Amino acid sequence: MARIMLVDDDDVIVEVVSDALKSAGHSVDVVYHGDEALKAVAMHKPDLLILDYTLPGRTGRDILRELRTLPVTDNMPVMMLTSRHGRVHSGIAEIDGADDYVTKPFDPDDLLARVEAMLVGVAISRHVTDAAELDT
């Protein structure tokens, strides 16, 4: 089970994503406003962040760029979940540090599979880091 934070201001998206993640056994913290996201991440320390691009207050892009400058969150996996389609937007998100980019509308099963793949990647990375620290 992972702790996942969802930052989105759309009640329907929040419900669909939360239901899919909870049905897979994950806990979900929801933030509706961009200005609250960084404080919530610091407080809850999620294993993965799902972040909308367009939010009231701070944008998802602003939040992502700031997360990548902080040592505590620079390696936190972040999935952008947005209605902004196109290679330009996904490319910008990648440059800003997004690990995945999912456009709305989306298939909840596909979203869940991508979340699970990101979490497996995090687990493997932590295992390799722990093993390397034991060798030193």
Side-chain angles (χ1 to χ4, degrees), residues 24-100:
H26 302 295
S27 67
V28 180
D29 297 305
V30 177
V31 176
Y32 291 93
H33 200 278
D35 291 335
E36 300 167 4
L38 291 169
K39 183 193 285 187
V41 166
M43 184 185 318
H44 296 286
K45 298 175 179 65
D47 298 308
L48 181 135
L49 178 64
I50 300 175
L51 183 60
D52 188 7
Y53 209 98
T54 307
L55 294 162
R58 297 183 74 165
T59 68
R61 184 172 183 215
D62 292 338
I63 294 163
L64 177 60
R65 287 190 307 216
E66 187 162 342
L67 287 172
R68 293 305 186 225
T69 67
L70 304 172
V72 211
T73 56
D74 66 343
N75 289 322
M76 176 184 296
V78 177
M79 173 187 289
M80 297 300 290
L81 179 62
T82 180
S83 58
R84 293 185 178 210
H85 294 262
R87 297 188 63 68
V88 170
H89 294 295
S90 64
I92 290 169
E94 184 178 337
I95 290 167
D96 288 340
D99 298 293
D100 200 356

